[in-house]
Amino acid sequence: MNSKYLWTALAALIFLNGCNHDESSTLSTAVEPPKTDVELLNKQEWDDNRVYVTKDNYILMKEANGTIPGLMKPCFVVNSAKEWPREDLSNADSYDLPRVDFRWDNGEFTNASSDEKAIYEARDKIWSIKTDGTDLRLVTDFLDVVPPRPHNRAVTVKMMRRSPNNRYLAWSNNVEKVIFDLKTQESTVLGTDRGHSQFLWAEDSSYLYFEDRAKYWKYELATGKTTQMDDEFHFSEVGVIYGGKRYVVAGLGVSVYDEATGRELYGVSVLPIELAERDYLNINHERKMKYVLKNRSISPDGKYAWGESAQYRYFINLETKEVKSEKIVRSEVGDYQYFEQLGLNANYVRDGAGGVIFLKLNEDKTVPKDKWTNWPQVCSGHSATLSWLYNGFANNGAFIKEDK
């Protein structure tokens, strides 16, 4: 509930009160319905100007930092996740902008606590939000499929990837690999082997590649069939299938495959040309770690990719195969910084989950130093991380409504 909706509701209330006043000559008495808990809470004067959504959850409007004076953004305090609205595929208003999935332990918890509700609130859950910071939704708390273990009461999310049709969420805690169906609210466990997790959705959401037992698998949603892929098959935790091509953003660049045949079409390396022409295995460890991409992202259509190593940042145009780079200077904002969520056509970038940095890129796809915004997105719990963009083609890829 943002300020626009609050003012709309207030205007409607004023209108209805006016109607009642006009009819007072014909109605001798009018029984006012009892106020709800939320209405009573919102009638109070709060020092932080909070607005309650339910009796245990509220929104704080905070002024964002940046170059737009007076810009207010919501910061969410969720003390009762089960009362918070869930993501609803039938609600078209939720999908008029690109959205972001992220993990968040919304409640406070200490090891000394034995309160089951406090323990539940502090567990990892998967949430989603619009790229402009509105319409927070609970996607799943997944406790029905992965119960807490005696030695570790909390299930920790390590990765999540949303299907292109928005219906399915693949997530993992590096043990269980699960598909959650938002329409049916049912979960399917694909694997239970401890180890690294990766997911990649088909362009039409009909199948999912995933990693389990150090091997790659293909799961078909219509049949429930799981097939092991051969040793020549490649994908990575950052990638996309679009236009019949599979884009794989790996440690040293991007490889592009024909999805139907599996044939590699081309690759783009971030290594300097003098190193790219040599056998990578012959480069000593210290030297190659300068270039290995520890942070990566890709645009929804696979046209652009980004990566950040220990010393460099790279921006890759997969159509022209052009690589732009910069050396990281910790005391300065770089031209290719904050690209964690890379929008369609690389017009927008968004970085972070607990706190958000939001940028509309320059025409040359660099960070504008004179126009930026950042704000706290969550105001309860301990941490929010693992942002991943989905619904990326909505609003022509623009992250704010008035800009298409």
Side-chain angles (χ1 to χ4, degrees), residues 95-388:
Y95 300 98
D96 60 358
L97 285 175
R99 296 185 64 91
V100 175
D101 282 317
F102 63 100
R103 62 147 292 280
W104 177 27
D105 52 353
N106 59 281
E108 298 296 337
F109 171 68
T110 63
N111 290 330
S113 175
S114 59
D115 183 343
E116 286 299 320
K117 181 180 185 305
I119 294 170
Y120 164 77
E121 300 299 340
R123 287 175 183 156
D124 272 9
K125 306 170 193 68
I126 298 175
W127 304 76
S128 71
I129 199 165
K130 290 182 181 180
T131 44
D132 67 352
T134 64
D135 195 45
L136 176 72
R137 300 283 178 147
L138 176 61
V139 180
T140 179
D141 55 16
F142 49 76
L143 298 181
D144 58 332
V145 64
V146 183
R149 298 172 177 80
H151 64 282
N152 180 12
R153 298 192 72 105
V155 174
T156 303
V157 178
K158 296 295 186 182
M159 173 167 290
M160 67 196 80
R161 296 291 184 264
R162 185 69 71 101
S163 62
N165 66 359
N166 300 329
R167 176 174 172 175
Y168 302 100
L169 175 75
W171 68 271
S172 172
N173 57 9
N174 279 357
V175 179
E176 287 87 1
K177 288 82 177 177
V178 181
I179 292 179
F180 176 70
D181 185 338
L182 276 77
K183 183 175 181 180
T184 66
Q185 297 290 296
E186 295 176 348
S187 296
T188 301
V189 178
L190 302 179
T192 57
D193 184 69
R194 184 177 298 277
H196 187 243
S197 300
Q198 298 185 108
F199 299 111
L200 181 62
W201 282 101
E203 186 174 353
D204 63 358
S205 305
S206 64
Y207 58 88
L208 172 75
Y209 295 122
F210 69 99
E211 181 182 4
D212 190 55
R213 303 194 297 277
K215 299 184 182 299
Y216 294 151
W217 307 81
K218 179 181 180 180
Y219 176 79
E220 298 175 49
L221 275 76
T223 64
K225 179 182 178 182
T226 301
T227 305
Q228 183 179 336
M229 307 304 292
D230 62 41
D231 293 339
E232 299 302 313
F233 179 82
H234 298 284
F235 81 105
S236 73
E237 64 187 60
V238 176
V240 67
I241 299 174
Y242 185 78
K245 297 177 182 178
R246 184 185 344 126
Y247 297 84
V248 179
V249 188
L252 288 170
V254 185
S255 295
V256 182
Y257 298 84
D258 182 286
E259 175 62 5
T261 66
R263 180 174 61 91
E264 184 173 10
L265 302 175
Y266 62 91
V268 180
S269 174
V270 300
L271 286 174
I273 189 66
E274 65 273 13
L275 296 182
E277 292 176 347
R278 295 171 49 190
D279 182 354
Y280 171 64
L281 296 177
N282 291 332
I283 306 172
N284 68 56
H285 179 74
E286 181 180 354
R287 193 174 184 189
K288 64 189 177 186
M289 285 309 293
K290 295 179 181 180
Y291 308 105
V292 173
L293 305 179
K294 57 180 182 177
N295 299 314
R296 291 165 279 164
S297 65
I298 190 167
S299 63
D301 60 356
K303 183 177 179 180
Y304 297 99
W306 169 85
E308 183 178 64
S309 71
Q311 295 188 21
Y312 300 95
R313 298 188 190 97
Y314 303 92
F315 182 71
I316 306 166
N317 185 323
L318 273 304
E319 289 187 339
T320 64
K321 304 179 181 60
E322 180 183 14
V323 179
K324 295 181 180 179
S325 65
E326 66 178 1
K327 188 171 178 61
I328 295 173
V329 179
R330 299 298 175 188
S331 60
E332 300 176 3
V333 175
D335 285 339
Y336 304 109
Q337 195 170 351
Y338 308 123
F339 280 38
E340 180 181 292
Q341 299 143 44
L342 183 58
L344 185 67
N345 296 317
N347 290 329
Y348 285 84
V349 293
R350 192 179 185 275
D351 194 289
V356 172
I357 297 173
F358 179 98
L359 298 160
K360 182 178 182 181
L361 297 181
N362 294 320
E363 289 293 329
D364 62 357
K365 311 303 183 186
T366 58
V367 165
K369 308 301 193 297
D370 60 345
K371 191 174 182 180
W372 55 276
T373 305
N374 80 289
W375 67 87
Q377 184 165 273
V378 297
C379 283
S380 65
H382 293 94
S383 66
T385 56
L386 302 180
S387 292
W388 186 257

